[in-house]
């Protein structure tokens, strides 16, 4: 790697080219054996500023006239937050008599192998215990859970915010 120092002649040439309005790339090409970044660094260290505008950039560029377009704005529904994965679920409000208070009849309980799209996939108990099972109730259309477990799983955001945060005593 060759290290070039800035001689007095090169610095003077840099000053003239900078004041003439050349870009750092153009100055680097003119000086030779120096990069654009080296030119920018030297200009900064020398405190050179207020260089002349190049003739091309002195006059503002004329804008092309665009034909008048009639833009029709379509109102979109207002939503807040990240809605990319949001889904709208309609859940029936009357309680499911079969699976109320997490009491699931023995005949309704299913193992992992017995689950299908029409059954509730709500897990009950500890998966490592032999008593573990899935609800197995009739799942709502398009959802993996029955009506009761859908209400538990899909709480509206407003209801979740209304619940008071748990405070710890000191």
């Amino acid at each position: 790697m060759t290290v070039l120092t800035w001689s007095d002649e090169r610095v003077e040439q840099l000053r003239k080219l900078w004041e003439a309005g050349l870009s750092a790339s153009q100055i680097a090409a003119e000086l030779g054996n120096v990069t654009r970044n080296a030119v920018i660094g030297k200009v900064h260290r020398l405190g050179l500023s207020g260089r002349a505008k190049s003739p091309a950039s002195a006059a503002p560029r004329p804008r092309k006239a665009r034909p008048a377009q009639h833009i029709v704005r379509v109102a979109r529904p207002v939503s807040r937050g990240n809605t990319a994965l949001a889904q709208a679920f309609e859940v029936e409000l009357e309680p499911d008599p079969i699976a109320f208070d997490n009491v699931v009849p023995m005949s309704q309980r299913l193992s992992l192998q017995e689950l299908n799209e029409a059954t509730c996939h709500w897990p009950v108990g500890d998966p490592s215990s032999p008593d573990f099972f899935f609800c197995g109730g009739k799942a709502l259309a398009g959802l993996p859970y029955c009506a009761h477990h859908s209400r538990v799983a899909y709480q509206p955001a407003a209801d979740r915010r209304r619940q008071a945060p748990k405070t710890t005593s000191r």
Side-chain angles (χ1 to χ4, degrees), residues 6-133:
W6 287 93
S7 65
D8 291 339
E9 297 85 28
R10 286 172 65 91
V11 171
E12 191 57 37
Q13 190 178 6
L14 168 68
R15 285 181 195 263
K16 288 179 184 174
L17 294 172
W18 184 258
E19 290 170 2
L22 271 67
S23 70
S25 298
Q26 293 168 330
I27 295 171
E30 188 76 27
L31 292 175
N33 291 333
V34 67
T35 65
R36 170 185 167 273
N37 286 342
V39 170
I40 292 171
K42 189 63 175 177
V43 164
H44 180 72
R45 287 189 300 277
L46 291 172
L48 299 178
S49 64
R51 63 189 217 184
K53 297 277 185 188
S54 64
S57 66
R61 214 172 50 172
R63 297 278 180 189
K64 293 181 183 177
R66 292 186 181 178
Q69 294 178 342
H70 297 287
I71 299 174
V72 177
R73 302 256 183 214
V74 178
R76 288 190 235 157
V78 177
S79 60
R80 290 187 174 199
N82 185 354
T83 58
L85 301 176
Q87 296 181 12
F89 295 108
E90 291 186 21
V91 180
E92 57 189 55
L93 297 176
E94 56 274 349
D96 186 6
I98 297 173
F100 188 71
D101 286 337
N102 220 11
V103 175
V104 180
M106 294 295 286
S107 61
Q108 186 177 308
R109 298 177 182 190
L110 298 177
S111 67
L112 180 62
Q113 292 83 12
E114 298 169 314
L115 290 176
N116 61 41
E117 289 184 15
T119 58
C120 179
H121 289 59
W122 188 265
V124 179
D126 181 12
S128 62
S129 77
D131 299 348
F132 179 74
F133 62 92

Side-chain angles (χ1 to χ4, degrees), residues 134-157:
F134 292 90
C135 170
K138 183 178 181 239
L140 296 175
L143 295 176
Y145 306 124
C146 63
H148 172 71
H149 289 126
S150 292
R151 281 192 298 279
V152 175
Y154 305 113
Q155 296 178 6

